């Protein structure tokens, strides 16, 4: 946070009081509740635990005089350098507390040691040695108060957050719960009624039932066999309901999308470089408030329990205003992307537009990864960060999207494109992509169409010279191939015209050139992948 004080009197005292308020909030009941009460076995251990937590958090501050004749931008950079220098000089407190002898473990040389298993720095206070069993600890684990607090907090958040399988199957699960509620609840009860039951949404996929049955105990094998039969019955009941209600079946996706965005050039915006010189402070205050309101809106509106007929289904990992990480089902991916972008313009960019120089707009770049629910999450997170960087490097003005499809086969498809549509149009590219996705769902020959279009222009794209593929050539070939689909009755003339218009609008926004064509065609491959059911595994 940043504050500007009118006078320098008692500045140090004010900052120290601010530090006390921060620490009072950190050690409020809301914060401490994640620690299990078992550490309160002695007053000494309770005091040690609180001391470890207190020493872990540090508040840094820096202050500089600011005269009327000085330039704010230069003073801000000087203040940032001062803060960086202060943070480099990390302070620490020596903490030496010896736990009982039976809590100590033995090294190979026979000596004793008392160090947390995770951080290796602090004395362990939470120990599972067979004598003093504690929650959330594996056998033999020894954790300090800080690491144990993180463990409890992480478990609480993880338990409340949906699995990747749940995100992938979100729409199918909702349709099943709506039309076959009794059968669905009966299926879940196969694993028990308690909160510790082993049910997981991945057991709605037959492959997992088969695989888990192979190396299970006799009791669990019977449970998985029963689950396989019940799942078949559940899917049959759902199919019958859909026929009677004349509804379209939801795709039982095995893939989900994870997205991350970050504000473009936020350091320059925060320093006031893009604001009018005489309104920097007012603009910064407005920007800070707008970012906070946008973050609150995202966390309030984008939820897993939203109306499934709308565009707001998703699970927010974090939202800080100008940065976000979220998991979204494939069906409404483009809708969520467009909603986030349009609301950012409405709630943030437009709010500070009157303070900017040369009509500059505050934007963000987004990375999106489509991954199988069994793909290691650490790898998917690393890829989405790479995509976020790729979006920022796509062009000088940033304000772009980079998408990546990680197939189970090992194939990786990547594409980048700008957010905004072509000049003169007010919509975002994602609206075209969502329309293309809808039309692909009604066209079983869409993959064949993309492959033909790709093969016809691929020889040009792999040439070393910079021969540009003109837009009108691509549009002409798109029209010819779609017309063949009409003649073969794969699509209707109405769908053909609508698909042609959206493909041309997307192509126009992406631009001409070999690189742009590759982005165009790979995006179509990703859309085509999203429109169909995936294999069981």
């Amino acid at each position: 946070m940043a504050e500007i004080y009118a006078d320098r009197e008692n500045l140090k005292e004010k900052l120290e009081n601010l530090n006390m308020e921060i620490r009072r909030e950190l050690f409020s009941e809301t914060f401490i509740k994640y620690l299990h009460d078992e550490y309160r076995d002695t007053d000494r251990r309770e005091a040690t635990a609180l001391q470890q937590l207190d020493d872990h958090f540090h508040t840094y501050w820096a202050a500089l005089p600011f005269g009327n004749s000085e330039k704010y931008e230069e003073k801000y950079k000087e203040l940032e350098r001062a803060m960086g220098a202060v943070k480099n000089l990390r302070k620490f407190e020596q903490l030496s507390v010896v736990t009982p002898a039976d809590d100590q473990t033995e090294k190979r040389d026979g000596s004793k040691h008392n160090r947390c298993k995770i951080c290796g720095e602090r004395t362990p206070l939470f120990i599972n040695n067979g004598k003093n069993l504690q929650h959330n600890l594996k056998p033999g684990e020894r954790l300090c108060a800080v690491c144990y607090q993180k463990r409890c907090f992480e478990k609480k958040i993880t338990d409340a957050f949906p699995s990747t399988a749940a995100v992938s199957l979100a729409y199918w699960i909702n349709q099943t719960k709506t039309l076959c509620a009794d059968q669905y609840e009966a299926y879940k009860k196969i694993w028990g009624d308690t909160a510790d039951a082993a049910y997981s949404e991945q057991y709605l996929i037959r492959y997992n039932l088969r695989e888990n049955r192979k190396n299970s105990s006799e009791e669990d094998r019977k449970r998985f066999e029963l689950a396989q039969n019940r799942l078949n019955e559940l899917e049959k009941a759902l199919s019958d309901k859909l026929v009677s209600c004349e509804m379209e079946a939801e795709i039982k996706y095995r893939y989900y999308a994870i997205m991350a965005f970050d504000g473009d050039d936020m350091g320059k915006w925060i320093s006031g470089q893009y604001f009018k010189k005489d309104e920097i402070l007012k603009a910064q205050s407005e920007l800070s408030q707008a970012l906070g309101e946008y973050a609150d809106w995202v966390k309030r509106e984008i939820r897993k329990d939203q109306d499934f007929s709308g565009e707001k289904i998703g699970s927010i990992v974090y939202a800080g205003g100008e940065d976000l990480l979220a998991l979204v089902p494939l069906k409404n991916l483009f809708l969520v992307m467009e909603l986030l972008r349009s609301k950012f313009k409405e709630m943030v960019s437009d709010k500070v537009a009157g303070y900017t120089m040369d009509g500059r707009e505050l934007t963000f770049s987004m990375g999106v990864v489509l991954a199988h629910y069994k793909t290691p999450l650490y790898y998917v997170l690393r890829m989405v960060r790479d995509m976020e960087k790729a979006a920022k490097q796509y062009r000088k003005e940033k304000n772009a999207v980079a998408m990546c499809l990680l197939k189970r086969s090992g194939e990786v498809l990547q594409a980048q494109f700008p957010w905004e549509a072509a000049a003169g149009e007010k919509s975002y590219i994602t609206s075209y992509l969502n329309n293309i996705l809808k039309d692909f769902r009604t066209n079983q020959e869409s993959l064949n169409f993309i492959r033909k279009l790709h093969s016809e222009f691929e020889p040009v794209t792999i040439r070393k010279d910079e021969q540009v593929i003109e837009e009108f050539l691509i549009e002409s070939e798109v029209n010819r191939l779609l017309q063949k689909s009409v003649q073969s009755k794969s699509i209707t003339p109405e769908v053909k015209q609508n698909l042609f218009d959206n493909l041309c609008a997307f192509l126009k926004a992406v631009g001409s050139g070999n690189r742009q064509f590759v982005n165009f065609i790979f995006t179509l491959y990703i859309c085509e992948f999203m429109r169909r059911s995936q294999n069981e595994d």
Side-chain angles (χ1 to χ4, degrees):
M1 65 173 292
E3 288 282 352
I4 296 180
Y5 292 93
D7 62 272
R8 307 179 192 179
E9 295 296 327
N10 304 319
L11 180 58
K12 184 177 180 180
E13 181 182 346
K14 292 176 182 177
L15 292 171
E16 288 176 347
N17 289 337
L18 177 61
N19 179 46
M20 290 175 60
E21 288 297 324
I22 293 172
R23 303 186 86 76
R24 187 177 294 117
E25 180 64 27
L26 280 176
F27 294 98
S28 64
E29 188 62 29
T30 303
F31 183 80
I32 294 297
K33 69 180 180 180
Y34 297 112
L35 280 176
H36 196 274
D37 287 338
E38 289 184 47
Y39 81 85
R40 301 178 186 272
D41 55 353
T42 65
D43 291 340
R44 186 184 184 194
R45 286 205 181 187
E46 179 180 353
T48 304
L50 292 174
Q51 185 180 348
Q52 286 183 347
L53 289 168
D54 185 65
D55 290 337
H56 180 67
F57 293 98
H58 298 289
T59 305
Y60 299 95
W61 56 268
L64 292 173
F66 180 41
N68 293 332
S69 60
E70 294 181 280
K71 292 184 177 179
Y72 178 84
E73 185 180 331
E74 294 178 0
K75 184 59 67 172
Y76 182 87
K77 291 180 179 178
E78 185 180 349
L79 185 63
E80 278 193 324
R81 290 193 294 269
M83 176 63 84
V86 171
K87 294 179 74 172
N88 285 335
L89 298 174
R90 292 187 175 274
K91 49 185 179 180
F92 68 94
E93 300 290 338
Q94 187 68 37
L95 179 60
S96 179
V97 176
V98 180
T99 54
D102 61 354
D103 284 344
Q104 299 184 19
T105 56
E106 193 170 294
K107 295 181 181 179
R108 291 181 180 177
D109 61 3
S111 61
K112 304 287 185 177
H113 69 87
N114 289 302
R115 288 294 178 266
C116 171
K117 185 177 179 180
I118 293 180
C119 68
E121 298 177 4
R122 290 171 285 269
T123 301
L125 299 176
F126 300 83
I127 303 166
N128 186 346
N129 59 4
K131 301 177 183 180
N132 182 24
L133 297 179
Q134 300 198 16
H135 294 278
N136 304 322
L137 293 181
K138 301 173 185 176
E141 266 199 321
R142 311 159 55 80
L143 303 184
C144 64
V146 174
C147 294
Y148 186 71
Q149 167 109 331
K150 291 179 181 178
R151 173 74 59 80
C152 295
F153 181 81
E154 181 181 24
K155 180 173 175 56
K156 180 178 178 66
I157 296 301
T158 302
D159 290 346
F161 202 83
S163 64
T164 52
V167 177
S168 303
L169 295 166
Y171 280 87
W172 186 88
I173 291 174
N174 178 70
Q175 189 176 61
T176 306
K177 288 167 64 176
T178 302
L179 299 178
C180 304
D182 293 340
Q183 293 97 320
Y184 179 74
E185 291 302 321
Y187 180 76
K188 289 175 63 176
K189 288 181 180 179
I190 294 174
W191 281 269
D193 296 318
T194 65
D196 295 327
Y199 171 75
S200 170
E201 286 80 4
Q202 65 174 319
Y203 293 142
L204 293 168
I205 300 172
R206 283 187 294 274
Y207 171 83
N208 293 315
L209 297 176
R210 294 196 303 269
E211 289 300 304
N212 282 275
R213 187 181 63 183
K214 293 178 181 178
N215 301 314
S216 300
S217 63
E218 183 62 29
E219 181 181 352
D220 284 340
R221 272 199 295 273
K222 292 180 179 179
R223 176 182 293 176
F224 284 121
E225 288 175 4
L226 174 62
Q228 280 186 284
N229 295 330
R230 291 282 181 87
L231 183 57
N232 290 335
E233 294 172 4
L234 176 61
E235 291 183 331
K236 177 65 167 59
L238 176 61
S239 179
D240 293 341
K241 283 280 188 180
L242 290 170
V243 171
S244 63
C245 298
E246 297 183 349
M247 293 175 60
E248 184 179 350
E250 292 289 353
I251 295 176
K252 203 173 185 181
Y253 282 115
R254 272 66 165 174
Y255 284 71
Y256 68 98
I258 184 167
M259 61 174 65
F261 74 65
D262 183 60
D264 296 327
D265 298 323
M266 287 306 298
K268 296 178 180 178
W269 283 99
I270 296 298
S271 68
Q273 184 172 332
Y274 295 143
F275 291 126
K276 297 173 183 177
K277 300 305 180 184
D278 55 341
E279 295 185 295
I280 289 180
L281 297 180
K282 189 176 180 180
Q284 284 186 324
S285 177
E286 191 77 28
L287 175 59
S288 178
Q289 183 177 348
L291 289 172
E293 291 173 352
Y294 177 70
D296 291 340
W297 177 88
V298 170
K299 289 179 282 189
R300 183 176 64 251
E301 296 295 328
I302 310 296
R303 305 195 313 270
K304 60 183 179 181
D305 57 346
Q306 273 285 13
D307 178 12
F308 276 76
S309 63
E311 58 192 3
K312 301 179 182 179
I313 306 300
S315 297
I316 303 298
V317 180
Y318 66 80
E322 49 84 27
D323 59 350
L324 170 140
L325 182 67
L327 278 66
V328 181
L330 294 192
K331 181 176 179 178
N332 66 319
L333 170 60
F334 293 130
L335 293 175
V336 172
M337 290 171 64
E338 181 159 0
L339 180 64
L340 289 172
R341 183 65 184 86
S342 60
K343 277 292 181 180
F344 186 84
K345 175 174 173 54
E346 174 189 331
M347 299 183 68
V348 180
S349 303
D350 291 349
K351 287 286 183 69
V352 298
Y355 303 104
T356 61
M357 295 187 297
D358 305 322
R360 187 183 294 270
E361 180 184 351
L362 176 58
T363 61
F364 66 71
S365 295
M366 176 181 284
V368 182
V369 173
L370 282 64
H372 191 273
Y373 73 96
K374 281 193 172 183
T375 305
L377 189 56
Y378 76 88
Y379 178 67
V380 181
L381 289 170
R382 188 177 72 189
M383 285 299 298
V384 79
R385 292 305 178 198
D386 289 345
M387 289 299 100
E388 187 181 349
K389 292 177 183 177
K392 289 181 177 291
Q393 295 169 358
Y394 172 68
R395 57 181 187 168
K396 182 179 179 181
E397 55 267 44
K398 302 180 181 180
N399 188 25
V401 178
M403 295 188 69
C404 175
L405 169 60
L406 303 176
K407 291 188 179 181
R408 285 280 279 174
S409 63
E411 183 182 5
V412 178
L413 296 178
Q414 294 185 23
Q416 297 88 36
F417 49 85
W419 268 113
E420 71 274 1
E425 299 185 32
K426 297 182 179 180
S427 56
Y428 294 104
I429 277 187
T430 42
S431 63
Y432 302 135
L433 294 179
N434 194 58
N435 291 333
I436 292 170
L437 178 59
K438 287 180 180 178
D439 290 335
F440 276 179
R441 287 189 176 123
T442 65
N443 180 9
Q444 298 299 317
E445 297 296 322
S446 56
L447 180 58
N448 191 38
F449 158 75
I450 299 170
R451 283 174 174 169
K452 287 181 178 178
L453 183 65
H454 188 194
S455 65
E456 289 171 3
F457 290 97
E458 187 175 23
V460 181
T461 63
I462 61 177
R463 289 169 59 124
K464 292 184 178 180
D465 58 14
E466 290 299 322
Q467 183 175 351
V468 176
I469 304 175
E470 296 292 346
E471 286 181 28
F472 78 91
L473 294 176
I474 302 173
E475 290 179 3
S476 177
E477 189 59 23
V478 167
N479 187 58
R480 186 184 72 83
L481 293 173
L482 289 178
Q483 189 60 41
K484 288 184 66 175
S485 297
V486 173
Q487 293 171 359
S488 64
K489 299 184 179 180
S490 299
I491 57 175
T492 64
E494 293 77 18
V495 171
K496 178 260 179 184
Q497 187 60 47
N498 188 55
L499 184 54
F500 177 74
D501 291 341
N502 283 289
L503 287 170
C504 290
F506 177 52
L507 178 63
K508 185 177 180 181
V510 172
S512 60
N514 296 356
R515 177 191 173 200
Q516 286 74 12
F517 176 77
V518 172
N519 286 324
F520 170 75
I521 208 72
F522 278 10
T523 304
L524 297 188
Y525 276 125
I526 293 173
C527 289
E528 196 282 329
F529 181 86
M530 292 169 63
R531 69 96 187 164
R532 51 191 162 99
S533 299
Q534 290 99 30
N535 295 330
E536 271 288 315
D537 59 349

